[in-house]
Amino acid sequence: MKNDRWCVLIEKIKSIISEDRILHDVPMKEHTSMRVGGIVKTLILPSCKKEIVDIIKILIDMNIPYYVIGNGTNLIVSDEGYSGVVIKIADNFADINVSGDEITALSGASLAAVSNTAMLNSLSGMEFASGIPGTIGGAVAMNAGAYGCEMKDVVTETSCVDEQGNLLLLKGAEHDFTYRSSRIQKKKLIVVEVKMRLQRGEISAIKEKMRYFNTCRREKQPLELPSAGSVFKRPQGFFAGKLIEDAGLRGYRIGGAKISEKHCGFIVNTGDATAGDVIKLIEYVKERVYQCSGVILEHEVKILGG
Ligand SMILES: Cc1cc2nc3c(=O)[nH]c(=O)nc-3n(C[C@H](O)[C@H](O)[C@H](O)COP(=O)(O)OP(=O)(O)OC[C@H]3O[C@@H](n4cnc5c(N)ncnc54)[C@H](O)[C@@H]3O)c2cc1C
């Protein structure tokens, strides 16, 4: 991208949000849980709905590609980085409100904070998500799930920005939730606010369920090392981790990326992994699993750039 065009872009963005929330030459390993990835020229941290809408309109107007991230916990950015603008919607945009048995959260609120707020207000239904390290916006886009529950079970309404910069409201079935996907992903919508309906429950029981799920996570998942969670979608009738283990890949490594010995569905960064190592390992696993079992694995993690 030509420099003068980028200068014009930055000047326009500066008229919308303060300079300290426009970051330049950002290493994406600092914004992703896998801790790999190259440089993004500009990363923006909007803090209100209007800023998001106005920024999108500028980017559309100038025909500059953009990508929205939350906590970067399901994301690998290539070593070459990304030549567009990254809009990070996380703790810069994260208010949570409770009204009766409804919670409304701005999309950058963490799942942990939303689950905790639900618990403190005697609301049950978000326990499954308390240990998922993403934002509520990322979770709705991905239809994140665990322990038999998914975001689709609790989300009633989502306020989004579309690819033309217009605000729109999705209700119930309009979200088109499927396994680890949604209309939001398919139509490249940006989630700005999420409404969830929960059920009344006992604080102690909700707390105990959260504690139990999080103990299970610590026992089964390699939380001590950087990762992007389960790399592959669950193929119908199989478990990705078991297929990978049966293909003899437990502990298999390429560079600094390794199939976790604790949970074969996870790729961990042993310290010096590059995005290239992780992506090569993903491809190698797909190939080996297909050779060994005939099952085609599809990656759940998103890959940006390259
Ligand atoms: C240790 C660990 C455990 C995990 N366990 C689980 C689990 O049990 N279940 C599960 O489902 N996932 C799990 N994950 C994966 C991940 O946490 C979830 O997918 C989470 O919902 C992603 O949220 P995020 O904010 O980090 O999104 P990102 O990783 O930042 O983005 C993921 C996708 O969502 C899109 N997105 C992000 N924010 C928005 C927004 N506001 N509007 C529109 N699109 C957006 C991005 O463009 C991208 O396509 C785990 C990850 C880790 C590291």
Side-chain angles (χ1 to χ4, degrees), residues 70-90:
N71 279 342
T73 61
N74 208 25
L75 182 68
I76 315 287
V77 181
S78 84
D79 296 318
E80 290 73 38
Y82 173 64
S83 58
V85 168
V86 168
I87 302 170
K88 178 167 176 171
I89 302 180

Side-chain angles (χ1 to χ4, degrees), residues 67-68 70-74 132 134-135 139 144-145 180 189 191 217 229 302:
Y67 193 81
V68 173
N71 279 342
T73 61
N74 208 25
I132 302 178
T135 62
R180 298 298 171 265
L189 304 176
V191 179
R217 270 182 198 277
K302 303 289 172 194

Side-chain angles (χ1 to χ4, degrees), residues 210-231:
M210 283 162 68
R211 197 199 57 77
Y212 173 71
F213 287 157
N214 289 326
T215 304
C216 291
R217 270 182 198 277
R218 276 193 301 277
E219 278 170 7
K220 300 205 168 105
Q221 299 181 356
L223 302 184
E224 56 290 347
L225 287 171
S227 79
S230 294
V231 173

Side-chain angles (χ1 to χ4, degrees), residues 31-34 52 67-76 87-90 93 106-111 128-129 131-147 149-151 158-161 179-180 182 184-185 188-194 217 221-230 266 300-304:
H31 294 269
T32 55
S33 58
M34 193 77 201
I52 298 174
Y67 193 81
V68 173
I69 69 165
N71 279 342
T73 61
N74 208 25
L75 182 68
I76 315 287
I87 302 170
K88 178 167 176 171
I89 302 180
F93 185 70
L106 293 183
S107 55
S110 70
L111 288 166
F128 75 97
I132 302 178
T135 62
I136 198 87
V140 176
M142 296 295 302
N143 188 23
Y147 306 110
C149 299
E150 291 176 315
M151 290 308 294
T158 305
S159 169
C160 301
V161 180
Y179 174 68
R180 298 298 171 265
S182 65
I184 290 146
Q185 265 195 56
K188 297 202 167 72
L189 304 176
I190 300 174
V191 179
V192 286
E193 196 172 86
V194 181
R217 270 182 198 277
Q221 299 181 356
L223 302 184
E224 56 290 347
L225 287 171
S227 79
S230 294
F266 279 56
E300 174 187 319
V301 291
K302 303 289 172 194
I303 298 175
L304 176 66

Side-chain angles (χ1 to χ4, degrees), residues 1-115:
M1 196 104 23
K2 277 189 118 185
N3 253 352
D4 44 357
R5 192 151 161 260
W6 209 266
C7 292
V8 172
L9 170 71
I10 299 300
E11 283 312 308
K12 286 190 178 190
I13 293 174
K14 274 189 202 161
S15 71
I16 293 169
I17 74 172
S18 60
E19 270 188 66
D20 59 323
R21 289 187 285 109
I22 308 169
L23 311 185
H24 304 282
D25 300 324
V26 183
M28 287 308 287
K29 61 173 69 171
E30 292 174 5
H31 294 269
T32 55
S33 58
M34 193 77 201
R35 301 273 175 258
V36 296
I39 305 281
V40 157
K41 206 165 170 190
T42 302
L43 183 145
I44 304 174
L45 298 159
S47 66
C48 71
K49 222 184 260 190
K50 185 170 180 336
E51 286 178 356
I52 298 174
V53 171
D54 289 350
I55 289 164
I56 295 301
K57 284 191 169 148
I58 289 175
L59 293 165
I60 294 166
D61 221 42
M62 293 187 68
N63 200 19
I64 288 176
Y66 60 88
Y67 193 81
V68 173
I69 69 165
N71 279 342
T73 61
N74 208 25
L75 182 68
I76 315 287
V77 181
S78 84
D79 296 318
E80 290 73 38
Y82 173 64
S83 58
V85 168
V86 168
I87 302 170
K88 178 167 176 171
I89 302 180
D91 46 14
N92 43 305
F93 185 70
D95 286 355
I96 303 170
N97 282 295
V98 183
S99 167
D101 51 10
E102 230 174 46
I103 294 192
T104 304
L106 293 183
S107 55
S110 70
L111 288 166
V114 174
S115 312

